[in-house]
């Protein structure tokens, strides 16, 4: 699913919202998550998962083409850990997932 599909799905499930309002809501949520992570914070969405940032220290690596040593600088990377509830939903029988996907596609088409 891409962002425009998410906006369409939110608008379809909330008929009292205009499409532009649904887009503003999705943008606001994503912007707040990104801003919190940029500040080094943590975002926990119960039943979904936790977004956080992790530090990768500087290190010496190898260039696969030349075999020479390369220095890789320290960096911060986003990390997502799924909740137990989401893990359970992902690992259920495949038949419910295909029905859900078909229902979401039907909503997007209408």
């Amino acid at each position: 699913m891409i962002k425009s599909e998410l906006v369409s799905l939110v608008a379809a499930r909330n008929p009292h919202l205009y499409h532009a309002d649904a887009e503003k809501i999705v943008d606001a949520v994503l912007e707040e998550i990104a801003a919190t992570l940029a500040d080094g914070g943590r975002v926990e969405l119960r039943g979904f998962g936790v977004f956080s940032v992790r530090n990768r220290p500087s290190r010496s690596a190898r260039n696969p083409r030349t075999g020479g040593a390369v220095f890789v600088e320290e960096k911060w990377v986003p990390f997502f850990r799924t909740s137990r509830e989401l893990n359970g939903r992902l690992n259920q029988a495949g038949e419910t997932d295909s029905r859900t996907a078909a229902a979401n596609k039907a909503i997007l088409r209408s």
Side-chain angles (χ1 to χ4, degrees):
M1 175 180 289
I2 59 176
K3 185 176 168 185
S4 61
E5 292 173 341
L6 178 61
V7 169
S8 296
L9 194 61
V10 169
R13 289 188 179 178
N14 298 283
H16 61 282
L17 291 175
Y18 292 111
H19 190 274
D21 292 337
E23 186 171 5
K24 288 177 185 176
I25 291 168
V26 170
D27 285 341
V29 169
L30 295 177
E31 180 57 36
E32 284 302 314
I33 291 172
T36 301
L37 292 177
D39 291 339
R42 178 176 186 260
V43 177
E44 181 177 338
L45 303 172
R46 297 279 172 142
F48 186 70
V50 178
F51 294 93
S52 61
V53 289
R54 290 195 175 176
N55 181 279
R56 290 200 181 156
S58 59
R59 61 188 172 89
S60 178
R62 294 267 173 217
N63 181 335
R65 184 175 293 176
T66 64
V70 177
F71 179 75
V72 178
E73 294 183 7
E74 172 188 50
K75 59 185 165 183
W76 293 89
V77 294
F79 180 75
F80 177 71
R81 181 173 176 210
T82 58
S83 69
R84 288 182 187 170
E85 182 180 329
L86 182 56
N87 272 335
R89 288 179 67 182
L90 294 175
N91 292 308
Q92 285 178 349
E95 67 183 53
T96 57
D97 294 335
S98 62
R99 284 190 301 222
T100 303
N104 287 340
K105 286 182 183 178
I107 291 172
L108 288 175
R109 288 183 187 144
S110 58

